[in-house]
Amino acid sequence: RGSGRIEGTFATVSTFAPKVVSAAAQAIPLAVLYGAGFVQPATVCADPADPATCGGAPQPQPPRVEWLIRAMASGLPTAVALASFCIKLRFPVRPELMAAVREGVRTLEADRTRAVRDPVT
């Protein structure tokens, strides 16, 4: 199967995976709102004979939908940011670890054929 190089596979996965995550991140909140009873905008036309003049008029939403919109727009991002901060606190980059990483980079820059121990993993 060739020379064993996997740059193409890496490029494919690294561009496809964010697209899959993005699709889910856009579809799931809309499905949740619809399931909670979201009311579609009413179609309003300035000139019924000309579809280009039609638009949507916002409709009153049930309190549950309003609450979900607020939660997804402010509460969920705040909770995720706090959770990521707490996780980060458990894995600090200590000065001795940074020194080991710098030394490994210097060693590799000097001699690419030399094996270097990865201090992070």
Side-chain angles (χ1 to χ4, degrees), residues 59-78:
Q59 299 297 304
Q61 299 296 328
R64 183 175 179 180
V65 171
E66 290 181 7
W67 182 87
L68 279 170
I69 291 172
R70 287 186 183 108
M72 285 190 281
S74 60
L76 185 62
T78 302

Side-chain angles (χ1 to χ4, degrees), residues 100-117:
V101 169
R102 284 189 194 103
E103 181 59 33
V105 170
R106 282 191 206 105
T107 302
L108 284 175
E109 286 175 345
D111 182 8
R112 293 262 180 202
T113 61
R114 187 169 173 196
V116 178
R117 184 184 164 279

Side-chain angles (χ1 to χ4, degrees), residues 44-106:
V44 178
C45 298
D47 180 8
D50 184 10
T53 65
C54 294
Q59 299 297 304
Q61 299 296 328
R64 183 175 179 180
V65 171
E66 290 181 7
W67 182 87
L68 279 170
I69 291 172
R70 287 186 183 108
M72 285 190 281
S74 60
L76 185 62
T78 302
V80 170
L82 289 173
S84 66
F85 178 75
C86 291
I87 291 169
K88 165 65 174 97
L89 288 176
R90 296 186 66 208
F91 301 98
V93 179
R94 295 180 186 88
E96 57 273 5
L97 177 62
M98 278 306 300
V101 169
R102 284 189 194 103
E103 181 59 33
V105 170
R106 282 191 206 105

